[in-house]
């Protein structure tokens, strides 16, 4: 019959401190500082729980933050297009050949935009009249 080793007592190790001196506790900090309490950041939590929709993200990328709010009004934007087209047409006689071609094409694009603005304004006026 094989003999099984007996397990001796499990009380091995430090069981008692027989001699304690004040110098033994030098490694401990003098005063216990409280840890900073956990304060949740609501902005970070909202960013996770209430994510922006695709429409909100796209509009943020398409409309610059430094945009003048007056430019979002249709009459102001139409007036700016017309003024810009007039300036470009005024610069064509003094421009070089390559500049002239660029100014003419840009003025043509602005003319199309101005025509579309007028068409939209007329259509909206008809709708509002009923």
């Amino acid at each position: 019959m094989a003999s099984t080793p007996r397990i001796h007592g499990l009380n091995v190790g430090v069981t008692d401190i027989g001699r304690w001196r004040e110098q033994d506790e030098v490694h401990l900090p003098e005063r216990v500082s409280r840890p900073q309490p956990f304060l949740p950041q609501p902005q970070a939590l909202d960013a996770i729980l209430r994510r922006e929709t695709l429409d909100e993200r796209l509009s943020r990328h398409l409309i610059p933050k430094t945009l003048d709010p007056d430019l979002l009004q249709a009459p102001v934007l139409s007036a700016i297009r017309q003024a810009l087209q007039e300036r470009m047409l005024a610069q064509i006689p003094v421009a070089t050949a390559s500049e002239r071609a660029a100014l003419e094409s840009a003025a043509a694009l602005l003319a199309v935009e101005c025509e579309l603005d007028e068409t939209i304004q007329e259509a909206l006026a008809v709708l509002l009249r009923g």
Side-chain angles (χ1 to χ4, degrees):
M1 187 169 167
S3 76
T4 57
R6 288 192 66 202
I7 298 176
H8 296 288
L10 295 175
N11 57 357
V12 177
V14 177
T15 58
D16 190 18
I17 297 176
R19 188 176 58 162
W20 178 81
R21 295 177 302 193
E22 192 173 337
Q23 297 91 4
D24 293 337
E25 298 296 327
V26 180
H27 65 280
L28 295 177
E30 289 182 11
R31 102 185 143 117
V32 177
S33 63
R34 293 183 177 195
Q36 185 174 0
F38 171 74
L39 298 174
Q41 298 176 351
Q43 295 86 3
L45 188 59
D46 284 344
I48 295 170
L49 295 178
R50 295 182 194 95
R51 294 192 58 171
E52 292 180 324
T53 63
L54 180 61
D55 294 337
E56 292 170 342
R57 285 183 278 160
L58 285 176
S59 65
R60 190 183 65 227
H61 290 298
L62 295 176
I63 301 174
K65 292 179 182 176
T66 58
L67 183 67
D68 186 7
D70 291 336
L71 290 178
L72 296 177
Q73 299 177 4
V76 174
L77 193 56
S78 296
I80 289 174
R81 283 183 181 134
Q82 290 173 353
L84 187 58
Q85 181 191 16
E86 291 170 4
R87 280 188 177 183
M88 288 183 178
L89 291 174
Q91 290 295 320
I92 288 176
V94 295
T96 63
S98 62
E99 292 172 346
R100 185 175 298 129
L103 285 172
E104 287 173 351
S105 64
L109 285 174
L110 285 172
V112 170
E113 292 289 326
C114 290
E115 288 175 16
L116 288 174
D117 283 343
E118 290 175 10
T119 306
I120 290 172
Q121 287 175 3
E122 290 171 4
L124 287 174
V126 169
L127 281 174
L128 291 175
R129 283 186 209 137

